[in-house]
Structures are given as C-alpha cells and as structure tokens.
C-alpha cells in the first residue's frame, strides 16, 4: 500500500498547481484537469480500501516535516478503517461534485481559479483525514478553512459574498484558537503529537487531569468548523459561494471534519464523561435549534444550510454518546443525500436563472424531471423514511442516544419531525403546485445538461441504497459498517456504558421515529399541497414565534451588537490612540527632533566661503589664544 | 641703525590682519583677491625680516617661491572672476551662490 498511498493527497495538489499556474491558458479545460486528478485520487483510494477491507492498515512517514527540540512532526499518513471511509467520501462525492461543476461553472470567467481552489480543498481535506498526527490534522484543518474562505468569496465582486467569506473565516478563527490550545495542551503534557503515541499514553493524560480540558478545547475547534452552536452563524451566509461548493465543502466534507476529529479521538472522549455530556448537549441543542430556523426560511440554499447544521448536530449526538460508528455512518449517508440536495438546488437555480427564493418557484416537477426525482429521493433519505439511507443512520444514532439518555432521544425525535416538515415544505413549494415566478421566467425553465444530471443520478442511487451497508441486526442485517469500524473504536468500548434497551423497545422507538417523520411530511402536505391548513393563517396565529424564527433568533443581530461593534470600537481605539498616537507619535518625535536640530545648525552652513573663512580665522585665534594664555 | 625685528613683525601682523579682515568682510571678488595678496605679501615681509635677522638667504628664496605661486594664482583667479563676470555680470560674491541650497 505504501507505493501508491501518497498519490491520494498529492494528485489533487498537482491539479491545484496546474490549474493555478496555467489557468489562463487552460480556461474551460481546467475542469478536465481537476476531474482527472480527483478521479485518480479516487481510484487509489478504492485500491487502498481493498487492502483495509482485508485488515491491512497503513501508518507510515514520508519524511520529517518539522524537527525542533523534542517536537518531531513527521509528514505521515494513517490509513485505517476510519480514515478510508472519509477518504472514499471525499474523493468519491468530491469527484461527482467536480464533474457537476464542469456544467455548473461553464462560462464563468474564473473557472480555472475555481477548479484550482476546489482541488486545493480536496488536497487539504485528505491531509486532514489522512494525517497521522495532530499537526497535519491542524494543517489540513486550516487548509480547508482557507479554501472555504476562498470559495465562499469566489464571486468577490459581490459585496455580500466577500463579507460572507470573511465571516466564515473569522468565526472559524475563534474555534481554531481553541483547537490550537487543545493541541498545545496535549503536546505539553505528553510531548508528542502522534496519534498512536497519544493513545498509548492516554492514561498519563488522564492522570495529569487535563483530559477533559484537552477534549473540550479540541471540541471548540469542532464547533467552529462543523458549525455547531454557538459558532454556526457562518454557515448560512456561506451559501453565497457557488452551489457545488456548498455541496462539497459546506455539506459533504469540510463541515464533518469536527465529527471525524471526535471519532478519531474516540478513546479520549469516551474516557471523559464531561466531554461526552458537552458534545451531546451541544449536538442535541444544535440539531433542534437549527431545524427550527429552517422551518420559515425562504431561500432554498439557506434551508439546506440550516438542515446541514441540524444534521451535524445529529452526528455529534452520535459520536458524543459513544456511538462513533453510527456518527460516521450518518456522516457518510449525509454526504450522499445532502450533496445531492445541494446539487439539486443548484440545478433548480440553473433552470431558474439563479433564483433561490422558493416563494417564486413551484410546479417544477414536470419540467425538470431528473432533478426533481433525485431531489425527492434525497428528501425521503433525509426525512428518515425506510429504506432510504438516512433512515438507517439516523435511527442508529437515535437508538444509541436513547440508551445514553431518553431525554436526548426526545429532542432527537423532535428534530426529526422538524426535519421532515421543512424538507417537505421545500420540496412541495419547489416542485409541486403552480409556478409563481412569472411567465417570462417560466419560459426559461430547462433541464440541466447531462454532466450535471449524471452526478445527481449517481448520488440519488447512493442516497437510496447507501444505508444497506449498515442495516442493524435488529432488522435482520449484520451491520457491516459497524463491524468494519470496530478495530478503530475497540479501546473506547470499555469506557462506555449504555443502558440496556430491550428489542421490543427498540422496535417501538424505530416505529415512533418513522411515524413522526411521516407526521411531519403529512403536516407539510396539508399545508402546502392540499391547502387545508393555510400557511398564512399559521403565520398569523404564531406571529411571535414566526418573527423570531424568521430573524434567526436575532443571533446575528446579537453578535453584531455584543461582539462585532465593541470589537470594532476597540480596534478603532487601538488604531487612532495607540497606533496613530503613541507608536507613530514616538517615531514622528524622533523625526521632529532631528528636524529641529537641523533647523538650528543649518544656519552655520551659509554657503558663503567668506563665512567659512571667518570661522577658520576665529578658530585660529582661539588656538593661538590657548597657546598664549593657556 | 638697525630697525628691530619686532617692528617688521608688528607691521606684517597688521597687514595680515587687514588682509584677513578684507577677505572676511568685503563682498567684491576683486577686493577679496587683493586682500589675499595683502596677506601673502605680509608673509613675504616676515620672511625677509627673519632672513635679515638670522643672516640666512633661504628666506629670500622662499619669498620668490611665494611670489611665483601668487602670480600663478592671480592669473587663474582673475580668469575665473572674468569668466563669472561674463556670465553673471557681477563679481559680488553674495550673488554667486550656485552651490547653495
């Protein structure tokens, strides 16, 4: 495996360099370069997967990257059951999105730049996943953050896009600060940043009493990158970027980095009950909180963004309660159906001249059938309708959550109802009923080219059947997925304590969650298709709640008032008083004193030879006087 | 009777001081020039006085040297003054300040 494993991250880097340097020459061909590199990367990942499937994992170093004192950072990769799954998602789903991008970005003047960023993103993401130490993880972590910033602000001439990029970057800085502190804490306690050594010496970490602190600091980073409360605010705005970017970075891969990180450090989290409780609490709260905001939003991409935040919350419930395999399972299925939803939304926007307002859509089903059908598959998957992928993964998480604490299950189920409702609302308003966007636009509607619909179809198939790799034993499956991941989470098991849940109860829970999802869909059906319940009347009746939800709980306003404004004022104070006043003042003072001396002494230098002669004479007289009288 | 050497030296000192004063105070290039000549000649007088006093001829030899140098210097100096006068129509040194910033 060592012979080809390095190609996996390096191919996308090569693509990024080629597209970055020769982009002006390549123009539209940049898409082909980018696709080939990702395809190659995917090929080698599959090859590596075949080894891992047989139980052969790889942990090796290419070279020493940093060597300073007792800090040794090798450039090394770890390919085990956990990382190979994420690598498959990153390169596989990544390839489909690259393919889709050829159609979506066709004709954009910055297409080469776009593909260079996208390739660089895949490289960073693979580095994040494959690295066998914390510093490489951090490098990838920052790399994906950078690419996210660059791609959100891809249309930088649009003010809102540039602002959204900055918002994402700065919000992530807050999280990454905690993440870096976590790494420092682990390094200063153990003197190593290699995963293998950290897991070996984990008892030392616990004995030093920093285990909880370290895991919580790392989790701060995860809340930033994976858009959990309270650092989720950047993700909805990130929708300013091109839609395939939202699919790849802000749904399928980058935002799941936090989930991967927690799963990677499963042993550390399993050993700290406090950390587990915090992860579960944040995850549960975010899952419901974000879902409520999705209920009333009218922007097709923003609804999906809130949905992503909510689904990430579920993943954190999974890894938080100790059901690491379930969390990763949901990560994978979510990558399928959420990427599909975003790409579908992109296809809809493509058909409607970039309109994203669902109030101006409707009745699109007969006109863009492939998009509509694939979107519907994804809708059923995310709503948790069996046998689509989302049902198995979400149910797995909810079952384990119940064993951890029934309260978490209640909130998880509530989130599931809300998810089913807002997704149904989205689907019904977009694809059914009458078109509300005006006649001129209606004339324009057309299906996307095959280069876009083929990725949609493949993702639809994956969303439909992807869940079968992890059918729980309860339903007569053998849960291949969990068994595959077992070696990675083996050591954590002894620290986890689940309450016993009888089979009967598990069936009941499963049936309940499906019924709740159906109820959510049914309610949306009554509201938006049948019209039995008028949405306008509902709005009128729950005006207070509606307003709060519509304004996203005024969190942005709060952040603006409580953090941004004071920070800006403080920065201005630093600028005007400290920098302009004190620092520049000192520098200017030196200059002014010099000028003052110059003004005085330049009077001696008149330029008249006679004056100089006079000075010479004066000097001679003084010297003579010294010899005569002195 | 022999004139005491002190008289020669005092006269030379007075002439030299006048020359210095002329160089420092006067603004006309020609007058400055003449003042320089005055200083040179006061030095010559000193040489001659000591030559006579010490009964040594070397002092008189040096006087010739000074006169030759002075003649050459006057030739070059007057040429410069004439050249400047042709361009600027003045020999007033306050007006000749091309190098002053």
């Amino acid at each position: 495996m060592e012979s080809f494993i390095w190609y996996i991250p390096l191919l996308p880097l090569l693509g990024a360099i080629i597209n970055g340097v020769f982009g002006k020459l390549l123009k539209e061909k940049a898409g082909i370069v980018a696709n080939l590199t990702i395809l190659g990367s995917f090929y080698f990942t599959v090859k590596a997967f075949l080894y891992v499937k047989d139980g052969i994992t790889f942990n090796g170093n290419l070279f020493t990257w940093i060597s300073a004192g007792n800090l040794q950072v090798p450039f090394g990769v770890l390919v085990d059951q956990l990382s190979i799954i994420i690598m498959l998602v990153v390169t596989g789903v990544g390839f489909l999105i690259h393919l889709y991008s050829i159609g979506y970005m066709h004709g954009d003047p910055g297409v080469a730049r776009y593909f260079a960023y996208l390739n660089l993103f895949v490289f960073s993401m693979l580095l994040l996943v494959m690295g066998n130490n914390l510093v490489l993880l951090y490098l990838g972590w920052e790399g994906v953050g950078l690419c996210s910033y660059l791609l959100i602000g891809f249309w930088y001439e649009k003010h809102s896009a540039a602002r959204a990029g900055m918002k994402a970057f700065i919000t992530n800085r807050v999280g990454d600060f905690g993440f870096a502190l976590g790494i420092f804490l682990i390094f200063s306690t153990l003197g190593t940043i290699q995963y293998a050594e950290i897991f070996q010496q984990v008892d030392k970490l616990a004995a030093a009493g920093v285990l909880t602190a370290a895991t919580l600091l790392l989790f701060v980073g995860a809340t930033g990158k994976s858009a959990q409360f309270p650092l989720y605010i950047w993700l909805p705005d990130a929708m300013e970027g091109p839609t395939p970017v939202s699919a790849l970075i802000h749904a399928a891969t980058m935002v799941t980095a936090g989930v991967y990180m927690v799963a990677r450090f499963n042993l550390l989290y399993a050993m700290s009950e406090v950390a587990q409780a915090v992860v579960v609490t944040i995850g549960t709260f975010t899952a419901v909180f974000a879902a409520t905001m999705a209920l009333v939003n009218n922007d097709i991409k923003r609804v999906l963004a809130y949905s992503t935040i909510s689904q990430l919350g579920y993943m954190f419930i999974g890894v938080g309660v100790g059901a690491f395999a379930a969390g990763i399972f949901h990560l994978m299925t979510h990558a399928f159906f959420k990427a599909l939803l975003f790409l579908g939304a992109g296809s809809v926007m493509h058909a409607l001249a970039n309109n994203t307002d669902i109030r101006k859509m409707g009745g699109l089903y007969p006109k863009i059938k492939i998009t509509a059908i694939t979107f519907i598959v994804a809708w059923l998957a995310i709503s948790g309708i069996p046998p689509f992928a989302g049902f198995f993964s979400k149910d797995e998480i909810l079952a384990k959550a119940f064993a951890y604490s029934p309260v978490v299950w209640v909130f998880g189920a509530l989130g599931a109802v809300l998810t089913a409702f807002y997704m149904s609302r989205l689907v019904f308003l977009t694809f059914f009923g009458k078109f509300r966007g005006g006649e001129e636009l209606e004339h324009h509607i057309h299906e996307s080219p095959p280069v876009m619909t083929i990725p949609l179809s493949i993702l639809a198939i994956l969303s439909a059947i992807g869940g079968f790799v992890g059918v729980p034993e309860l339903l007569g499956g053998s849960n291949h997925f969990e068994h595959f991941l077992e070696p990675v989470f083996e050591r954590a098991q002894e620290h986890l304590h689940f309450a016993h849940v009888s089979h009967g109860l598990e069936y009941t829970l499963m049936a309940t969650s499906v019924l709740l999802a159906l109820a959510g869909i049914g309610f949306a059906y009554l509201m938006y298709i049948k019209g039995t319940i008028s949405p306008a009347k509902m709005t009128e009746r729950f005006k207070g709640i509606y307003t709060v939800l519509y304004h996203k709980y005024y969190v942005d306003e709060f952040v603006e008032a409580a953090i941004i404004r004071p920070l800006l004022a403080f920065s201005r104070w630093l600028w005007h008083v400290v920098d302009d006043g004190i620092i520049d003042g000192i520098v200017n003072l030196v200059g002014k004193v010099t000028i003052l001396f110059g003004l005085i002494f330049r009077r001696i230098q008149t330029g008249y030879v006679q004056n100089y002669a006079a000075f010479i004479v004066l000097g001679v007289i003084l010297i003579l006087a010294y010899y005569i009288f002195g | 009777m022999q004139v005491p050497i002190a008289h020669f030296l005092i006269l030379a000192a007075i002439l030299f001081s006048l020359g210095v004063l002329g160089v420092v105070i006067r603004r006309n290039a020609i007058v400055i020039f003449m003042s320089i000549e005055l200083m040179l000649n006061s030095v010559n007088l000193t040489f001659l006085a000591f030559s006579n006093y010490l009964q040594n001829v070397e002092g008189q030899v040096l006087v010739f040297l000074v006169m030759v140098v002075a003649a050459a210097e006057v030739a070059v100096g007057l040429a410069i003054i004439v050249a400047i006068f042709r361009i600027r129509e003045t020999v007033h040194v306050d007006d000749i300040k091309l190098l002053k910033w």
Side-chain angles (χ1 to χ4, degrees), chain A residues 294 303-312 314 330 333-342 374-395 415-424 426-427 463-464 513 517 521:
Chain A
V303 171
L304 293 177
Y306 284 116
S307 163
T308 304
I309 299 171
S310 166
Q311 294 299 313
L312 287 165
Y314 278 103
H330 197 54
T333 56
H334 175 257
F336 296 153
F337 60 68
K338 189 51 69 63
L340 174 55
L341 286 170
F342 268 114
T374 54
F375 204 94
I376 286 165
V377 170
W379 159 53
L380 294 171
I382 192 175
S383 303
I385 304 298
F388 294 95
F391 164 73
F392 295 106
S393 54
K394 193 185 276 187
D395 205 73
V417 185
L418 296 174
T419 305
F421 176 78
Y422 68 69
M423 283 312 299
S424 309
L426 191 65
V427 169
S463 303
S513 69
I521 294 173

Side-chain angles (χ1 to χ4, degrees), chain A residues 187-234:
Chain A
F187 177 72
S188 68
T189 314
L190 298 181
T192 178
I193 39 89
Q194 301 252 35
Y195 294 154
E197 289 168 26
I198 293 171
F199 294 142
Q200 259 167 29
Q201 304 174 34
V202 72
D203 291 326
K204 238 167 97 183
L205 211 57
V210 297
L211 184 72
T212 304
T215 46
L216 286 180
L217 282 171
L218 291 177
F219 184 64
V220 170
T223 57
K225 189 96 348 192
S226 296
Q228 294 298 292
F229 186 84
L231 296 178
Y232 68 93
I233 46 172
W234 62 272

Side-chain angles (χ1 to χ4, degrees), chain A residues 532-598:
Chain A
T532 326
I533 310 165
S534 157
K537 267 189 190 156
M538 289 289 283
T539 313
E540 198 56 44
R541 208 158 145 198
F542 300 102
K543 204 163 179 16
I545 301 172
Y546 180 82
T547 321
V548 170
L549 290 181
Y550 191 77
H551 290 99
K552 301 166 276 186
Y553 294 96
Y554 298 98
V555 169
D556 278 335
E557 284 80 355
F558 171 76
V559 170
E560 176 88 25
I563 297 171
I564 297 175
R565 272 172 205 283
L567 206 64
L568 276 180
F570 179 63
S571 303
R572 286 219 177 82
W573 179 79
L574 282 179
W575 167 22
H576 288 303
V577 178
V578 176
D579 201 45
D580 274 2
I582 298 174
I583 295 175
D584 284 8
I586 291 170
V587 175
N588 288 340
L589 191 68
V590 172
K592 273 179 187 154
V593 168
T594 314
I595 289 174
L596 193 70
F597 276 99

Side-chain angles (χ1 to χ4, degrees), chain A residues 181-315:
Chain A
L181 286 182
I183 296 175
F184 297 155
L185 187 58
I186 289 176
F187 177 72
S188 68
T189 314
L190 298 181
T192 178
I193 39 89
Q194 301 252 35
Y195 294 154
E197 289 168 26
I198 293 171
F199 294 142
Q200 259 167 29
Q201 304 174 34
V202 72
D203 291 326
K204 238 167 97 183
L205 211 57
V210 297
L211 184 72
T212 304
T215 46
L216 286 180
L217 282 171
L218 291 177
F219 184 64
V220 170
T223 57
K225 189 96 348 192
S226 296
Q228 294 298 292
F229 186 84
L231 296 178
Y232 68 93
I233 46 172
W234 62 272
L235 190 61
D237 286 13
M239 297 301 122
E240 292 287 344
T243 309
V245 170
S246 312
L248 179 62
I249 301 185
H250 305 120
T253 54
M254 183 189 85
V255 288
T256 60
V259 181
Y260 164 76
M261 191 274 297
V262 177
R264 175 56 76 199
F265 291 103
N266 56 78
L267 183 57
L268 274 62
Y269 281 90
M271 282 171 71
S272 169
E273 270 177 34
V274 180
Q276 272 195 307
V278 170
V279 175
V280 172
T281 311
I282 297 277
T284 314
F285 180 71
T286 311
V288 179
F289 181 69
T292 56
M293 286 187 281
L295 293 176
V296 296
N297 209 298
N298 288 321
D299 184 306
I300 186 167
K301 283 182 75 181
R302 276 171 198 258
V303 171
L304 293 177
Y306 284 116
S307 163
T308 304
I309 299 171
S310 166
Q311 294 299 313
L312 287 165
Y314 278 103
M315 292 176 215

Side-chain angles (χ1 to χ4, degrees), chain A residues 325 329 392 396 400 467-486:
Chain A
F329 188 27
F392 295 106
E396 186 85 16
K400 285 281 170 58
F468 290 117
V469 295
V471 179
E473 274 146 32
L474 201 62
L475 293 175
S478 54
N479 211 342
H480 289 299
F481 196 85
E482 201 174 326
H483 292 306
F484 178 71
L485 280 170
E486 247 167 19

